[in-house]
Amino acid sequence: MPATKTVDLATHPLTTWQGPLGLPDFAHIGDDDFFPVFDAALKAHEAEIDAIAGNKDTPTIENTLQALELGGDALDRVSSIFWCRAGAHTNDAIQALERDISPKMSRHFSAISMNEKLFARIDDLYQRRESLKLDAETLRVLEKTWKGFVRSGAKLDAEGKKQLAKINEELSSLGTSFGQNVLADERDWALFLDEADLAGLPDFLKSSMAEAAEMRGQKGRYAITLSRSIYEPFSTFSERRDLREIAFRAFTMRGQNGGATDNTSVVRDMLKLRAEKARLLGYGSFAALKLDDTMAKTPKAVHALLDPVWEKALEKAAADQTELQRLATEAGSNEKFAAWDWRFYQEKLRAEKFAFDEAELKPYLQLDRVIDACFDVATRLFGITFEEKQGIAAWHPEARVFVVRNADGSERGLFLADYFARPSKRSGAWMSALQSGYRLGHGSKPVIYNVMNFAKPPAGEPALLSVDEAKTLFHEFGHALHGMLTDVTWPSVSGTSVSRDFVELPSQLYEHWLTVPAVLEKHALHVKTGKPMPKALLDKMLAARTFGAGFATVEFTASALIDMAYHARPDAPEAPLRFEAETLEKLDMPETIAMRHRTPHFGHVFSGDGYSAGYYSYMWSEVLDADAFAAFEETGDPFNPALAERLRQNIYAAGGSKDPEDLYTAFRGKMPSPEAMMVKRGLV
């Protein structure tokens, strides 16, 4: 790392955002700027913490809880820009700094959590909470803060604190290594093809593969990459079974190829450290620790949801496979049906059952029009509007900037979006914040961003999405709305700062509006003719919504069950990949379907611990989202104004200011059962 330069946090572009619209001035931020600013910001935050902890006055909400919430502003600012770059546009310098800063940040926050004087002040407020006459949100923040300190080791003895800090630091480093290893495997693998290898591929995919090859210095050829936006359609349409197999094996072996980028030992060490951390904090397993602050509460409750779904999904997948094998036999295949055949024959079965294929839909799902649809739905439901601002520098030239306005025209915040795959970007799709929205102190407007990995079309051609990609766009925009519509006082309960199994509700619920006929009729316009999707094709698409439910549910639920199997144990398996295989065997996992995320590249769970013992939460939230959209369907109006206002107030605007069950019940009047979700998936 470079020698530390003297930094003025009051003027530096990483900490005082002087760019257009109050954004960071990305044009004047270099890779070398991060290290000295992190160094200075960490020291400044330490001094703020020392001042709060050392205050001789009686603890009050203002001098302790509020001071703690508003402290570390410079660190928040440099961190938000850095982690955005680390995910969306990284390079060797950023990755080296990431390996250095991850354990340093872990040490810093461990020291805060274990600061005895600071905890004593929080504990003092907590013990007096009933007499402080706090409003409901402030009381919740105090209780969550106190519990967060305890769960982070505040009540451990000196040796226990030292041990936990060391575990956290090691886990942070390992999570960084895991993510960088997967990115390297994805970046470095490509299979270059010629025109003769493209049998069955639609034009949109050929264009994307040509662009991917040109980006890798192979102009005039075509590349299969490990981006889902190329891998999945290639697996769906390619008539070359040999190439489908090569791509499948490369995709499923990310992070398990031996050498410097192999994640086998990283996973083993992370699982051991997580089990050790749980024991140290008095929990029977890491899952028990992680679920303590969720709606589910226990691994038993998670299995009560997942196990019945798994059984139904296996039945559905087995019935579907019989049909797929029939098609393969009719096509003259003598090969044993394999995992790399599933998508290919499933698409043919869809064409047989519903008389259309995925390639027919793509011309109607232009990226820019799907973005417009996202915005239009938000305007109709919540009254907010979006105005794109051209020529404003962000972390990459392809990132776009939008001003978000309330119904009265006042500025609500900013939304940034970065849509196309590139080698400098980690795979997947996500939402995050450069700045959260809250009212405490001087207040703050939300600056929210979405990152996608859609295949980039050649210059001058529009980007076309699959239905799944369009749903992903709506999903991540649902998360973005959760951040943008937030209406809370305290930063720590702003936006998506909710329990892990509630956070997917706003995003998954928003997906439903993509397939509302009125939305498709307005925005699903043919790329060449400009005409709306014909009603016959729209009807077929809607009729086919649950097609392939067996495959989709098996690949997802297998990943959720493996995540829970790893973390609900009191100890860690010595050989995680063998444990993965043995667990799948006990579950009767079909060998013709792969987990959506195998262990060596399961970034949700091992690239940090965001979804560790929490991957189930997508399905937990799906129970809620199916029931929530049913509320609109029951009124006969998908944009029912009174219901939309209740949705805004209790789900999108409330953040973590109340218990999630209370929020959902305030919107819907009751908690749901899993039946609506099973029906939505086509499993019953």
Side-chain angles (χ1 to χ4, degrees):
M1 289 295 124
T4 303
K5 302 179 228 170
T6 304
V7 168
D8 183 355
L9 295 176
T11 60
H12 199 282
L14 276 168
T15 52
T16 54
W17 295 357
Q18 302 297 328
L21 306 176
L23 281 169
D25 189 357
F26 283 101
H28 292 93
I29 294 170
D31 294 348
D32 292 342
D33 290 327
F34 286 106
F35 183 81
V37 175
F38 261 120
D39 204 50
L42 284 164
K43 287 190 175 98
H45 194 208
E46 282 170 20
E48 288 174 318
I49 294 298
D50 288 345
I52 300 166
N55 192 334
K56 302 298 183 192
D57 295 340
T58 301
T60 64
I61 292 298
E62 290 71 27
N63 71 21
T64 302
L65 191 64
Q66 180 170 324
L68 183 61
E69 288 260 330
L70 294 176
D73 182 62
L75 185 58
D76 287 343
R77 285 172 175 257
V78 64
S79 295
S80 68
I81 300 171
F82 178 75
W83 296 116
C84 174
R85 278 288 312 276
H89 189 41
T90 193
N91 56 34
D92 290 345
I94 294 293
Q95 290 196 334
L97 182 54
E98 192 180 0
R99 292 190 292 273
D100 180 78
I101 203 66
S102 293
K104 201 175 280 188
M105 292 282 276
S106 176
R107 280 197 298 274
H108 174 74
F109 286 106
S110 285
I112 293 172
S113 301
M114 298 173 193
N115 184 313
E116 291 182 16
K117 289 181 180 177
L118 180 60
F119 179 63
R121 294 182 70 81
I122 296 291
D123 191 44
D124 179 287
L125 290 171
Y126 180 76
Q127 301 306 332
R128 292 189 286 121
R129 65 192 183 282
E130 300 300 336
S131 64
L132 294 176
K133 296 185 172 54
L134 304 177
D135 63 83
E137 185 184 325
T138 303
L139 177 60
R140 182 164 170 81
V141 169
L142 175 58
E143 289 175 343
K144 282 175 73 70
T145 303
W146 182 87
K147 191 168 188 178
F149 270 81
V150 173
R151 283 162 50 86
S152 299
K155 290 193 167 186
L156 294 175
D157 61 20
E159 184 54 39
K161 285 178 179 170
K162 186 178 171 185
Q163 194 179 345
L164 183 59
K166 185 170 181 289
I167 289 170
N168 287 337
E169 187 179 331
E170 289 180 29
L171 281 170
S172 180
S173 292
L174 288 165
T176 297
S177 297
F178 184 97
Q180 291 188 359
N181 289 344
V182 176
L183 177 63
D185 277 7
E186 290 171 345
R187 181 193 62 218
D188 296 342
W189 191 92
L191 184 63
F192 296 102
L193 307 179
D194 296 309
E195 191 74 41
D197 304 316
L198 307 183
L201 301 190
D203 289 343
F204 75 82
L205 182 54
K206 290 180 188 177
S207 295
S208 297
M209 290 170 65
E211 181 71 14
E214 187 171 343
M215 283 173 69
R216 289 161 176 78
Q218 295 269 353
K219 187 175 170 64
R221 302 191 76 195
Y222 303 84
I224 308 172
T225 70
L226 299 183
S227 165
R228 278 191 192 273
S229 60
I230 286 180
Y231 164 74
E232 287 190 355
F234 183 84
S235 303
T236 300
F237 294 112
S238 175
E239 292 174 13
R240 287 283 302 275
R241 189 174 191 268
D242 57 332
L243 298 179
R244 296 201 309 265
E245 180 179 358
I246 291 168
F248 172 85
R249 293 193 185 281
F251 192 77
T252 54
M253 290 298 286
R254 288 169 296 150
Q256 195 190 344
N257 291 304
T261 62
D262 194 285
N263 274 329
T264 307
S265 62
V266 177
V267 169
R268 182 197 64 216
D269 293 347
M270 289 185 83
L271 289 173
K272 282 183 177 175
L273 288 164
R274 285 173 175 174
E276 195 180 332
K277 176 175 179 173
R279 279 195 300 274
L280 196 55
L281 291 168
Y283 289 86
S285 67
F286 187 73
L289 167 64
K290 283 299 294 284
L291 293 170
D292 188 35
D293 192 30
T294 62
M295 295 180 79
K297 301 288 190 290
T298 65
K300 186 178 177 184
V302 172
H303 277 285
L305 169 66
L306 294 181
D307 293 349
V309 172
W310 178 248
E311 292 306 318
K312 294 281 186 191
L314 286 180
E315 289 172 21
K316 186 81 174 67
D320 289 348
Q321 186 171 326
T322 301
E323 288 279 83
L324 301 183
Q325 284 176 318
R326 172 183 63 78
L327 286 177
T329 303
E330 288 172 2
S333 173
N334 297 317
E335 305 282 352
K336 184 182 177 186
F337 192 84
W340 46 91
D341 295 320
W342 196 293
R343 290 182 191 278
F344 180 72
Y345 285 107
Q346 184 167 268
E347 191 58 29
K348 297 203 174 307
L349 184 62
R350 187 209 309 268
E352 181 183 278
K353 281 181 178 280
F354 300 100
F356 83 97
D357 63 30
E358 186 75 42
E360 258 186 283
L361 294 173
K362 272 224 173 189
Y364 293 97
L365 297 173
Q366 298 172 64
L367 171 60
D368 281 342
R369 293 200 182 277
V370 179
I371 294 167
D372 288 344
C374 278
F375 293 168
D376 186 24
V377 170
T379 302
R380 293 183 68 176
L381 286 172
F382 307 123
I384 58 173
T385 56
F386 298 80
E387 179 190 356
E388 184 163 10
K389 297 291 185 180
Q390 303 285 350
I392 294 177
W395 56 87
H396 188 275
E398 289 174 352
R400 298 163 66 176
V401 180
F402 301 85
V403 174
V404 187
R405 299 192 188 281
N406 295 308
D408 64 3
S410 60
E411 187 178 317
R412 174 153 210 96
L414 299 175
F415 172 62
L416 288 79
D418 184 358
Y419 292 111
F420 295 119
R422 55 179 172 264
S424 66
K425 185 191 284 188
R426 71 173 167 86
S427 63
W430 64 95
M431 164 269 181
S432 194
L434 289 175
Q435 182 172 284
S436 297
Y438 55 84
R439 292 190 294 272
L440 196 67
H442 297 299
S444 170
K445 286 184 179 175
V447 181
I448 307 298
Y449 64 90
N450 277 169
V451 179
M452 309 288 164
N453 269 284
F454 302 137
K456 188 178 179 182
E461 289 188 25
L464 303 178
L465 305 184
S466 68
V467 174
D468 282 348
E469 287 173 330
K471 279 184 182 172
T472 296
L473 189 66
F474 265 70
H475 178 102
E476 296 305 335
F477 190 72
H479 281 310
L481 285 173
H482 202 185
M484 289 185 284
L485 290 170
T486 193
D487 186 16
V488 299
T489 299
W490 292 83
S492 64
V493 292
S494 171
T496 56
S497 299
V498 298
S499 69
R500 181 60 68 194
D501 47 13
F502 191 71
V503 77
E504 296 300 333
L505 168 60
S507 53
Q508 292 178 185
L509 174 57
Y510 206 70
E511 291 178 36
H512 288 264
W513 276 278
L514 169 65
T515 50
V516 166
V519 173
L520 288 169
E521 285 160 11
K522 181 177 178 181
H523 297 285
L525 306 180
H526 194 279
V527 63
K528 289 181 179 166
T529 67
K531 291 182 177 176
M533 187 183 290
K535 187 173 187 310
L537 182 57
L538 174 59
D539 290 345
K540 288 174 191 174
M541 187 188 96
L542 296 176
R545 268 186 296 191
T546 61
F547 177 76
F551 174 83
T553 308
V554 165
E555 67 163 9
F556 168 82
T557 313
S559 294
L561 288 166
I562 288 291
D563 170 36
M564 199 49 60
Y566 278 139
H567 294 111
R569 295 166 49 116
D571 56 1
E574 277 300 320
L577 296 184
R578 188 171 72 226
F579 179 78
E580 176 192 86
E582 290 169 353
T583 304
L584 291 175
E585 191 176 347
K586 287 175 192 166
L587 288 167
D588 294 323
M589 175 78 171
E591 61 181 28
T592 51
I593 301 178
M595 294 166 62
R596 185 158 183 83
H597 306 284
R598 284 197 57 240
T599 298
H601 51 258
F602 203 167
H604 288 77
V605 170
F606 294 109
S607 189
D609 82 340
Y611 282 83
S612 55
Y615 194 64
Y616 78 91
S617 58
Y618 287 95
M619 189 169 283
W620 189 277
S621 293
E622 195 177 343
V623 172
L624 302 175
D625 82 64
D627 179 68
F629 193 70
F632 283 90
E633 291 179 315
E634 287 160 14
T635 71
D637 178 5
F639 298 98
N640 182 284
L643 206 51
E645 177 53 26
R646 286 218 308 271
L647 181 66
R648 184 199 64 77
Q649 191 177 335
N650 296 297
I651 305 297
Y652 285 92
S657 60
K658 294 179 182 172
D659 181 272
E661 285 197 22
D662 293 342
L663 290 174
Y664 190 81
T665 305
F667 162 67
R668 188 67 162 111
K670 60 180 176 58
M671 288 298 288
S673 77
E675 280 307 302
M677 181 271 292
M678 300 270 252
V679 170
K680 174 194 155 195
R681 278 189 170 247
L683 297 176
V684 293

